Amino acid sequence: MGPAAAGRPPPGGARVRGGGASAEACRARCRELPTPGHASPVTSAVLESGLALLAPPAASGETFIPYYTGRIIDILGSRYDPDAFATVISLMCLVSFSSSLAAGCRGGLFMFVHSRLNLRLRRLLFSSLVHQDLAFFQQVKTGDLTSRLSKDTALMSRLVPANANIFLRSLVKVLGLYSFMLGLSWRLTLLTLLESPLTMAAQKVYDARYQAVLKAIQDSLAYSGEVAREAVASVETVRSFGTEEEEAQRYKAALAHTRHLKDRRDLERALYLLFRRLLQLATQVLMLYCGHQQIQAGLMTKGGLVSFLLYQGEVGQYVQTLVYIYGDLLSNVGAAEKVFEYLDRVPAVSTDGTRAPATLQGHVAFRDVSFTYPSRPDLPVLQGVSFELQPGAVTALVGLNGSGKSTCVALLERFFEPQAGEVLLDGEPLRTYDHRYLHRQVALVGQEPTLFSGSVWENITYGLEGCSKEQVMAAAQAAHAAKFIATLDQGLETEVGEKGGQLSVGQKQRIAIARALIRQPSVLILDEATSALDVESEAAVRAAVLSGGARTVLVIAHHMATVEGADHIVVLEGGAVAEQGTHAELMARRGPYYSLVQRQLAE
Ligand SMILES: Nc1ncnc2c1ncn2[C@@H]1O[C@H](COP(=O)(O)OP(=O)(O)OP(=O)(O)O)[C@@H](O)[C@H]1O
Ligand SMILES: [Mg+2]
């Protein structure tokens, strides 16, 4: 399973000929560009070592500045020596300049690493998501996935470079500052050490609360996103029920919940900062008092005290930063955990089969298949289902709503794996077939076909490369779509809109049929694929598609006209095969099929 399996198809012939829409041009450009997030290991190593090398000089350079400030005060305070003054000023300029340069480069490199890491994470996560089994997507909300992809990857990509950067800088600073302070006065240094444990304890309490509220905010944001997305995606339903106001209220309530959480977060932060400032202030007052006594005793100069106070202000800040990084690590680890959970998730339906025979008969057999959906494990949907699809024949699957017809199709498409029994293709289990091969040989036109935004051409050739215009036209013809495509203003190049929204349902169904036919599949599945077609189109599609030829066809339809013409009919009832045979046989038997037909006739 390569990344190509997940991607949209490369451009087809007509797209190049037709010049293409701007969206497609952009997509094509993106394909040509090297993936920005994909830094080579060598580049990453160079960037990271750059960060590591630049952090110490930038930080240690800055630690000299308070020292020189103290020296200047002493020079100004005693007998003024212009040479000493000039030397100190020049040294200060040199140190400031070089440490600023190193800090700037370090910051730039850090941003560089951060954005590369972010894109790379997103690419890997999306690739992992798109390969997951369908049960995963039914259990996880879309809002959740998009928030993982955008927000959590952003948080996570900050985690490593930002923390490494800040940690390194703060550590060098703390060590440097303390050694200067010890040199100036070990008594005062001991005093400053009293402040740190108190700050750390406060930070610990604050971090635990902050983390909890942060998680609640993230969930709340994901929920409000979900509310908005759902309303926009189902705007027609909203309009037809006149529930715009209710939806607006729902969104408002979701936002109010987020605001409430954010208010709590901000209030707690304010209280925490207040406590920290008070503690700092108290330490500073104590320090001044003790410093004054030391000067009186001749143990320290006035400039020395100024330097010491400057150092002390700074060192507190950096100790706190070190503690903060720990908290930040914790809060981002939550995001990273989720990202890793999805990155490492192994799809329940494996795609590592390798079988790809040159010729395929298209014989399908369901052998005693039992199945329950993972989302509802206590509801058996299929129970001991066995039937066969013969090559070149049309088999119809009939039954009431919810009898399990589409579920059989889902198993044949390997959306899920049955809990018991097997589905065989040409006598071999489906899982042994190569993923791409299988989906080229077994084509499905679903109950609710989904088109992608893009042109009609792109939709018909979805997942295929190098299709000729003749092939596309032949498929469109067989799906009885050629006529209406010709009436579109740009023919095959016409954009169909998001999810094909600019087409009628019947037109969408016909494009979906053409999309399946162009693959010339060995097994063709039509799950209510012609339900929205008018009489003329349905007859035409039935003639073209169901006449079958060499291919195996499985058709699910409520229309008896479609079912009657099938070579074999399988009747499902409550997830089990009730009976099977030809139309004439089943009618003669006067069983469930007969009653189905009678009920339809009665309508
Ligand atoms: N994704 C799902 N998760 C849980 N249960 C499901 C899921 N899809 C279908 N079901 C349940 O499985 C049963 C069979 O559904 P299925 O879609 O196979 O019916 P169907 O025969 O195709 O019906 P219809 O004629 O309405 O298309 C139903 O009871 C349904 O509620
Ligand atoms: Mg169905």
Side-chain angles (χ1 to χ4, degrees), residues 15 20-31 453-454 458 495:
R15 214 178 299 149
S22 58
E24 178 48 39
C26 171
R27 240 176 273 151
R29 261 202 311 279
C30 291
R31 272 193 291 272
S453 55
E458 285 167 39
E495 289 286 314

Coordinates of all heavy atoms in Angstrom, one line a residue, residues 15 20-31 453-454 458 495:
R15 N -7.6 16.5 -19.6 CA -7.4 17.6 -18.7 C -6.2 18.5 -19.2 O -6.2 19.7 -19.1 CB -7.0 17.1 -17.3 CG -7.5 17.9 -16.2 CD -7.2 17.3 -14.9 NE -7.8 16.0 -14.8 CZ -7.3 15.0 -14.1 NH1 -6.1 15.2 -13.5 NH2 -7.9 13.9 -14.0
G20 N -7.5 22.8 -18.3 CA -7.8 22.5 -16.9 C -8.3 23.6 -16.1 O -8.0 24.8 -16.4
A21 N -9.0 23.4 -15.0 CA -9.5 24.4 -14.1 C -8.3 24.9 -13.2 O -7.3 24.2 -13.1 CB -10.6 23.9 -13.3
S22 N -8.5 26.0 -12.6 CA -7.4 26.5 -11.8 C -7.1 25.6 -10.6 O -6.0 25.4 -10.2 CB -7.7 27.9 -11.3 OG -8.9 27.9 -10.5
A23 N -8.2 25.0 -10.0 CA -7.9 24.1 -8.9 C -7.0 22.9 -9.3 O -6.1 22.5 -8.6 CB -9.3 23.5 -8.4
E24 N -7.3 22.4 -10.5 CA -6.5 21.3 -11.0 C -5.1 21.7 -11.3 O -4.1 21.0 -11.0 CB -7.2 20.7 -12.3 CG -6.4 19.6 -12.9 CD -6.0 18.5 -11.9 OE1 -6.8 18.2 -10.9 OE2 -4.9 18.0 -12.0
A25 N -5.0 23.0 -11.9 CA -3.6 23.5 -12.2 C -2.8 23.5 -10.9 O -1.7 23.1 -10.9 CB -3.8 24.8 -12.8
C26 N -3.5 24.0 -9.8 CA -2.8 24.1 -8.6 C -2.4 22.7 -8.0 O -1.3 22.5 -7.6 CB -3.8 24.8 -7.6 SG -3.1 24.7 -5.9
R27 N -3.4 21.8 -8.2 CA -3.1 20.4 -7.7 C -1.9 19.8 -8.5 O -1.0 19.2 -7.9 CB -4.3 19.5 -8.0 CG -4.9 18.9 -6.7 CD -6.1 18.1 -7.0 NE -7.3 19.0 -7.0 CZ -8.4 18.8 -7.7 NH1 -8.4 17.7 -8.5 NH2 -9.4 19.6 -7.7
A28 N -1.9 20.1 -9.8 CA -0.8 19.6 -10.6 C 0.5 20.2 -10.2 O 1.6 19.5 -10.0 CB -1.0 19.9 -12.1
R29 N 0.5 21.5 -9.9 CA 1.7 22.2 -9.4 C 2.2 21.6 -8.1 O 3.4 21.4 -8.0 CB 1.4 23.7 -9.2 CG 1.8 24.6 -10.4 CD 2.0 26.0 -9.9 NE 0.9 26.5 -9.2 CZ -0.2 27.0 -9.7 NH1 -0.4 26.9 -11.0 NH2 -1.1 27.5 -9.0
C30 N 1.2 21.4 -7.2 CA 1.6 20.8 -5.9 C 2.3 19.5 -6.1 O 3.2 19.1 -5.4 CB 0.4 20.6 -5.1 SG -0.3 22.1 -4.5
R31 N 1.8 18.7 -7.1 CA 2.4 17.4 -7.3 C 3.9 17.5 -7.8 O 4.7 16.7 -7.5 CB 1.6 16.6 -8.4 CG 0.5 15.8 -7.7 CD 0.0 14.8 -8.7 NE -0.7 15.5 -9.8 CZ -2.0 15.8 -9.8 NH1 -2.7 15.5 -8.8 NH2 -2.6 16.5 -10.8
S453 N -15.2 16.9 -6.2 CA -15.2 18.2 -6.9 C -14.1 18.0 -8.0 O -13.1 17.4 -7.8 CB -14.9 19.4 -6.0 OG -13.7 19.1 -5.3
G454 N -14.4 18.5 -9.2 CA -13.5 18.3 -10.3 C -14.4 18.2 -11.5 O -15.6 18.4 -11.4
E458 N -12.5 13.9 -14.8 CA -11.7 13.5 -13.6 C -12.5 12.5 -12.8 O -12.0 11.5 -12.2 CB -11.4 14.7 -12.7 CG -10.3 15.5 -13.2 CD -10.2 16.8 -12.5 OE1 -10.4 16.8 -11.3 OE2 -10.0 17.8 -13.2
E495 N -17.2 21.3 -14.5 CA -17.0 21.0 -13.1 C -18.3 20.5 -12.5 O -19.4 21.0 -12.8 CB -16.6 22.3 -12.3 CG -15.2 22.8 -12.7 CD -14.1 22.0 -12.0 OE1 -14.2 21.7 -10.8 OE2 -13.1 21.6 -12.7

